[in-house]
Amino acid sequence: MASKVLAAAVRRSLSPRIPTSIRSLSTAAAAVAEPFDETAGISMKGVKISGRPLYLDMQATSPVDPRVLDAMLPYFVSRYGNPHSRTHLYGWESDEAVEVARAQVANLINASPKEIVFTSGATECNNISVKGVMHFYKEKKKHGVGALYMRRRPRIRVEPQMNGGGQERGIRSGTVPTPLVVGMGAACELAMKEMEYDEKRVTKLKDRMLNGIRDRLDGVVVNGSTESRYAGNLNLSFAYVEGESLLMGLKEVAVSSGSACTSASLEPSYVLRALGVDEDMAHTSIRFGIGRFTTEEEIDKAIELTVNQVEKLREMSPLYEMVKEGIDIKSIQWSQH
Amino acid sequence: MVPPSSRTEILSLFRSFLRSARQFPDYNIREYAKRRIVDAFHDNKTLSSPSSVAAAFADGKYQLQVAKRQALVYSLYSPKTKSIMDIKY
């Protein structure tokens, strides 16, 4: 901002005969303001890449469907009423939109709208369910909004985790965010219409990815059950490769090694350990998330980049060399420090 | 009751759809939109009753408006750097 003001001041003080230098000055100012978006590739955290990475981290967040955004935008732009306002049209129209969304969510999971409580997300749902009493069913999260299914009969009493204005029947006080809730309702309705189509496609892409990698690499293990599994999640371990090094070498693919909590810790995912994955294999895991907007070309590119990186790392690995020579790694007695 | 849409009307809707799909600057949304449109029209080829054709046509017209609006919104906020999938090496 300051640099823009400065650029404007410079422009005023300079004669109009040298517009080119002013232009270069103002683009420099723009580049300072937006370090993430330079026209010739991106440079962030010491990593330089020519374009935005292909995105395969769908279990962290996924892109908003334009049809969902289309439903949300009116509630950001002009229909900004508080759904709990009872005295004017703004409130009434927001309230109506929230109730439509509640019905859309309920419809997807075959529940009654009265059994749906809007929250801030899955974490809050879990807290109400577990701390508030017991086994309700966590439902769905979506960018800052969540919905909790709470059985009506037999009735269950929960201790509210948020106290205040008594919204959502007192189970979750706080103004319901109309645009987000509307988006969630629209997403649920869309999920209902598109479920079969998406499921087929995501399964096809998952198979393409797994087969593509297995055709070219040995020592690849799928973590978790291969049958009871959501097709859009492919968590793989690559034997004799260190997961973090693999992730570092895959800068053109946005993936992660597990849940979002891995950012600060080098410990392997506790979820994988709980699934019975050996510690050495848990250290080599990568989670590929496939979604509605993933393409075949992205899968092929991800296979190519992953295989190249794994081969490169294995070439450098003394462990892999020993295995190829027929030494059983597990029988080795490592000296203690 | 809406009269059954003629072949030319349906083809023109299809072409308008593809045109607006191509306007999305986002690689993933654009590719999805193109694919979904082709698949939807292909799947609806088997519709025979005039009422189901009319319903699909009306839904298509509404979805086209959504696509046109959103192609504009996405182009207003598109990042300067393209997806690596859009960069030809």
PDB file of all heavy atoms in Angstrom, chain A residues 116-122 125 139-148 181 184:
ATOM      1  N   ILE A 116     -30.509 -32.123  12.279  1.00  0.00           N
ATOM      2  CA  ILE A 116     -29.268 -31.512  11.792  1.00  0.00           C
ATOM      3  C   ILE A 116     -28.947 -30.259  12.603  1.00  0.00           C
ATOM      4  O   ILE A 116     -29.772 -29.360  12.736  1.00  0.00           O
ATOM      5  CB  ILE A 116     -29.388 -31.142  10.296  1.00  0.00           C
ATOM      6  CG1 ILE A 116     -29.715 -32.382   9.453  1.00  0.00           C
ATOM      7  CG2 ILE A 116     -28.123 -30.454   9.793  1.00  0.00           C
ATOM      8  CD1 ILE A 116     -28.677 -33.472   9.465  1.00  0.00           C
ATOM      9  N   VAL A 117     -27.724 -30.200  13.136  1.00  0.00           N
ATOM     10  CA  VAL A 117     -27.259 -29.025  13.873  1.00  0.00           C
ATOM     11  C   VAL A 117     -26.059 -28.449  13.127  1.00  0.00           C
ATOM     12  O   VAL A 117     -25.095 -29.172  12.864  1.00  0.00           O
ATOM     13  CB  VAL A 117     -26.816 -29.423  15.309  1.00  0.00           C
ATOM     14  CG1 VAL A 117     -26.275 -28.208  16.055  1.00  0.00           C
ATOM     15  CG2 VAL A 117     -27.974 -30.048  16.065  1.00  0.00           C
ATOM     16  N   PHE A 118     -26.135 -27.189  12.755  1.00  0.00           N
ATOM     17  CA  PHE A 118     -24.986 -26.579  12.074  1.00  0.00           C
ATOM     18  C   PHE A 118     -23.941 -26.148  13.090  1.00  0.00           C
ATOM     19  O   PHE A 118     -24.264 -25.602  14.151  1.00  0.00           O
ATOM     20  CB  PHE A 118     -25.433 -25.383  11.228  1.00  0.00           C
ATOM     21  CG  PHE A 118     -26.130 -25.809   9.967  1.00  0.00           C
ATOM     22  CD1 PHE A 118     -27.452 -25.458   9.731  1.00  0.00           C
ATOM     23  CD2 PHE A 118     -25.468 -26.586   9.022  1.00  0.00           C
ATOM     24  CE1 PHE A 118     -28.097 -25.869   8.570  1.00  0.00           C
ATOM     25  CE2 PHE A 118     -26.102 -27.010   7.867  1.00  0.00           C
ATOM     26  CZ  PHE A 118     -27.427 -26.644   7.636  1.00  0.00           C
ATOM     27  N   THR A 119     -22.678 -26.407  12.770  1.00  0.00           N
ATOM     28  CA  THR A 119     -21.557 -26.073  13.657  1.00  0.00           C
ATOM     29  C   THR A 119     -20.468 -25.402  12.830  1.00  0.00           C
ATOM     30  O   THR A 119     -20.665 -25.108  11.656  1.00  0.00           O
ATOM     31  CB  THR A 119     -20.963 -27.349  14.280  1.00  0.00           C
ATOM     32  OG1 THR A 119     -20.329 -28.100  13.242  1.00  0.00           O
ATOM     33  CG2 THR A 119     -22.027 -28.205  14.947  1.00  0.00           C
ATOM     34  N   SER A 120     -19.292 -25.218  13.454  1.00  0.00           N
ATOM     35  CA  SER A 120     -18.197 -24.576  12.724  1.00  0.00           C
ATOM     36  C   SER A 120     -17.353 -25.589  11.965  1.00  0.00           C
ATOM     37  O   SER A 120     -16.462 -25.214  11.210  1.00  0.00           O
ATOM     38  CB  SER A 120     -17.310 -23.803  13.693  1.00  0.00           C
ATOM     39  OG  SER A 120     -16.616 -24.713  14.517  1.00  0.00           O
ATOM     40  N   GLY A 121     -17.573 -26.880  12.162  1.00  0.00           N
ATOM     41  CA  GLY A 121     -16.783 -27.864  11.429  1.00  0.00           C
ATOM     42  C   GLY A 121     -16.726 -29.194  12.153  1.00  0.00           C
ATOM     43  O   GLY A 121     -17.356 -29.381  13.195  1.00  0.00           O
ATOM     44  N   ALA A 122     -15.929 -30.107  11.586  1.00  0.00           N
ATOM     45  CA  ALA A 122     -15.868 -31.471  12.117  1.00  0.00           C
ATOM     46  C   ALA A 122     -15.313 -31.497  13.541  1.00  0.00           C
ATOM     47  O   ALA A 122     -15.769 -32.270  14.379  1.00  0.00           O
ATOM     48  CB  ALA A 122     -15.010 -32.339  11.206  1.00  0.00           C
ATOM     49  N   CYS A 125     -18.034 -30.673  15.864  1.00  0.00           N
ATOM     50  CA  CYS A 125     -18.981 -31.801  15.892  1.00  0.00           C
ATOM     51  C   CYS A 125     -18.467 -32.891  16.822  1.00  0.00           C
ATOM     52  O   CYS A 125     -19.215 -33.417  17.646  1.00  0.00           O
ATOM     53  CB  CYS A 125     -19.144 -32.397  14.495  1.00  0.00           C
ATOM     54  SG  CYS A 125     -20.131 -31.385  13.397  1.00  0.00           S
ATOM     55  N   GLU A 139     -20.701 -35.603  10.787  1.00  0.00           N
ATOM     56  CA  GLU A 139     -21.152 -35.708   9.415  1.00  0.00           C
ATOM     57  C   GLU A 139     -20.189 -35.157   8.380  1.00  0.00           C
ATOM     58  O   GLU A 139     -19.525 -35.902   7.683  1.00  0.00           O
ATOM     59  CB  GLU A 139     -22.528 -35.075   9.264  1.00  0.00           C
ATOM     60  CG  GLU A 139     -23.338 -35.766   8.183  1.00  0.00           C
ATOM     61  CD  GLU A 139     -23.382 -34.941   6.956  1.00  0.00           C
ATOM     62  OE1 GLU A 139     -23.835 -33.807   7.006  1.00  0.00           O
ATOM     63  OE2 GLU A 139     -22.933 -35.448   5.918  1.00  0.00           O
ATOM     64  N   LYS A 140     -20.068 -33.911   8.284  1.00  0.00           N
ATOM     65  CA  LYS A 140     -19.347 -33.385   7.131  1.00  0.00           C
ATOM     66  C   LYS A 140     -18.740 -32.034   7.456  1.00  0.00           C
ATOM     67  O   LYS A 140     -19.316 -31.261   8.206  1.00  0.00           O
ATOM     68  CB  LYS A 140     -20.329 -33.204   5.977  1.00  0.00           C
ATOM     69  CG  LYS A 140     -19.706 -33.376   4.611  1.00  0.00           C
ATOM     70  CD  LYS A 140     -20.793 -33.226   3.575  1.00  0.00           C
ATOM     71  CE  LYS A 140     -20.180 -32.704   2.293  1.00  0.00           C
ATOM     72  NZ  LYS A 140     -19.829 -33.683   1.321  1.00  0.00           N
ATOM     73  N   LYS A 141     -17.579 -31.775   6.921  1.00  0.00           N
ATOM     74  CA  LYS A 141     -16.981 -30.467   7.134  1.00  0.00           C
ATOM     75  C   LYS A 141     -16.815 -29.785   5.789  1.00  0.00           C
ATOM     76  O   LYS A 141     -16.717 -30.444   4.768  1.00  0.00           O
ATOM     77  CB  LYS A 141     -15.618 -30.610   7.792  1.00  0.00           C
ATOM     78  CG  LYS A 141     -14.686 -31.507   6.993  1.00  0.00           C
ATOM     79  CD  LYS A 141     -13.251 -31.304   7.352  1.00  0.00           C
ATOM     80  CE  LYS A 141     -12.375 -32.115   6.402  1.00  0.00           C
ATOM     81  NZ  LYS A 141     -10.972 -31.918   6.566  1.00  0.00           N
ATOM     82  N   LYS A 142     -16.816 -28.501   5.827  1.00  0.00           N
ATOM     83  CA  LYS A 142     -16.591 -27.809   4.573  1.00  0.00           C
ATOM     84  C   LYS A 142     -16.162 -26.372   4.821  1.00  0.00           C
ATOM     85  O   LYS A 142     -16.992 -25.513   5.056  1.00  0.00           O
ATOM     86  CB  LYS A 142     -17.863 -27.825   3.720  1.00  0.00           C
ATOM     87  CG  LYS A 142     -17.598 -27.293   2.354  1.00  0.00           C
ATOM     88  CD  LYS A 142     -18.682 -27.666   1.411  1.00  0.00           C
ATOM     89  CE  LYS A 142     -18.352 -27.143   0.027  1.00  0.00           C
ATOM     90  NZ  LYS A 142     -16.941 -27.026  -0.274  1.00  0.00           N
ATOM     91  N   HIS A 143     -14.876 -26.130   4.801  1.00  0.00           N
ATOM     92  CA  HIS A 143     -14.356 -24.763   4.867  1.00  0.00           C
ATOM     93  C   HIS A 143     -15.055 -23.892   5.909  1.00  0.00           C
ATOM     94  O   HIS A 143     -15.712 -22.927   5.573  1.00  0.00           O
ATOM     95  CB  HIS A 143     -14.458 -24.081   3.502  1.00  0.00           C
ATOM     96  CG  HIS A 143     -13.805 -24.856   2.412  1.00  0.00           C
ATOM     97  ND1 HIS A 143     -12.454 -24.972   2.292  1.00  0.00           N
ATOM     98  CD2 HIS A 143     -14.334 -25.587   1.406  1.00  0.00           C
ATOM     99  CE1 HIS A 143     -12.175 -25.717   1.262  1.00  0.00           C
ATOM    100  NE2 HIS A 143     -13.287 -26.114   0.708  1.00  0.00           N
ATOM    101  N   GLY A 144     -14.933 -24.246   7.156  1.00  0.00           N
ATOM    102  CA  GLY A 144     -15.424 -23.369   8.208  1.00  0.00           C
ATOM    103  C   GLY A 144     -16.866 -23.594   8.599  1.00  0.00           C
ATOM    104  O   GLY A 144     -17.440 -22.805   9.333  1.00  0.00           O
ATOM    105  N   VAL A 145     -17.468 -24.661   8.099  1.00  0.00           N
ATOM    106  CA  VAL A 145     -18.836 -24.960   8.509  1.00  0.00           C
ATOM    107  C   VAL A 145     -18.970 -26.472   8.636  1.00  0.00           C
ATOM    108  O   VAL A 145     -18.260 -27.231   7.997  1.00  0.00           O
ATOM    109  CB  VAL A 145     -19.870 -24.362   7.521  1.00  0.00           C
ATOM    110  CG1 VAL A 145     -19.755 -25.007   6.157  1.00  0.00           C
ATOM    111  CG2 VAL A 145     -21.291 -24.482   8.050  1.00  0.00           C
ATOM    112  N   GLY A 146     -19.847 -26.911   9.504  1.00  0.00           N
ATOM    113  CA  GLY A 146     -20.053 -28.344   9.662  1.00  0.00           C
ATOM    114  C   GLY A 146     -21.490 -28.618  10.013  1.00  0.00           C
ATOM    115  O   GLY A 146     -22.259 -27.705  10.321  1.00  0.00           O
ATOM    116  N   ALA A 147     -21.874 -29.870   9.931  1.00  0.00           N
ATOM    117  CA  ALA A 147     -23.220 -30.250  10.335  1.00  0.00           C
ATOM    118  C   ALA A 147     -23.126 -31.515  11.156  1.00  0.00           C
ATOM    119  O   ALA A 147     -22.359 -32.412  10.846  1.00  0.00           O
ATOM    120  CB  ALA A 147     -24.110 -30.475   9.121  1.00  0.00           C
ATOM    121  N   LEU A 148     -23.891 -31.535  12.229  1.00  0.00           N
ATOM    122  CA  LEU A 148     -23.887 -32.688  13.117  1.00  0.00           C
ATOM    123  C   LEU A 148     -25.247 -33.356  13.043  1.00  0.00           C
ATOM    124  O   LEU A 148     -26.275 -32.686  13.121  1.00  0.00           O
ATOM    125  CB  LEU A 148     -23.612 -32.215  14.547  1.00  0.00           C
ATOM    126  CG  LEU A 148     -23.725 -33.253  15.656  1.00  0.00           C
ATOM    127  CD1 LEU A 148     -22.573 -34.247  15.578  1.00  0.00           C
ATOM    128  CD2 LEU A 148     -23.730 -32.569  17.014  1.00  0.00           C
ATOM    129  N   VAL A 181     -23.461 -21.998   5.268  1.00  0.00           N
ATOM    130  CA  VAL A 181     -24.475 -23.032   5.425  1.00  0.00           C
ATOM    131  C   VAL A 181     -25.200 -23.265   4.090  1.00  0.00           C
ATOM    132  O   VAL A 181     -25.468 -24.408   3.697  1.00  0.00           O
ATOM    133  CB  VAL A 181     -25.437 -22.616   6.562  1.00  0.00           C
ATOM    134  CG1 VAL A 181     -26.750 -23.347   6.463  1.00  0.00           C
ATOM    135  CG2 VAL A 181     -24.782 -22.866   7.921  1.00  0.00           C
ATOM    136  N   MET A 184     -22.974 -25.328   2.029  1.00  0.00           N
ATOM    137  CA  MET A 184     -22.968 -26.722   2.456  1.00  0.00           C
ATOM    138  C   MET A 184     -24.218 -27.456   1.956  1.00  0.00           C
ATOM    139  O   MET A 184     -24.127 -28.595   1.483  1.00  0.00           O
ATOM    140  CB  MET A 184     -22.905 -26.792   3.966  1.00  0.00           C
ATOM    141  CG  MET A 184     -22.740 -28.197   4.431  1.00  0.00           C
ATOM    142  SD  MET A 184     -22.149 -28.225   6.093  1.00  0.00           S
ATOM    143  CE  MET A 184     -22.013 -29.975   6.294  1.00  0.00           C
TER     144      MET A 184
END
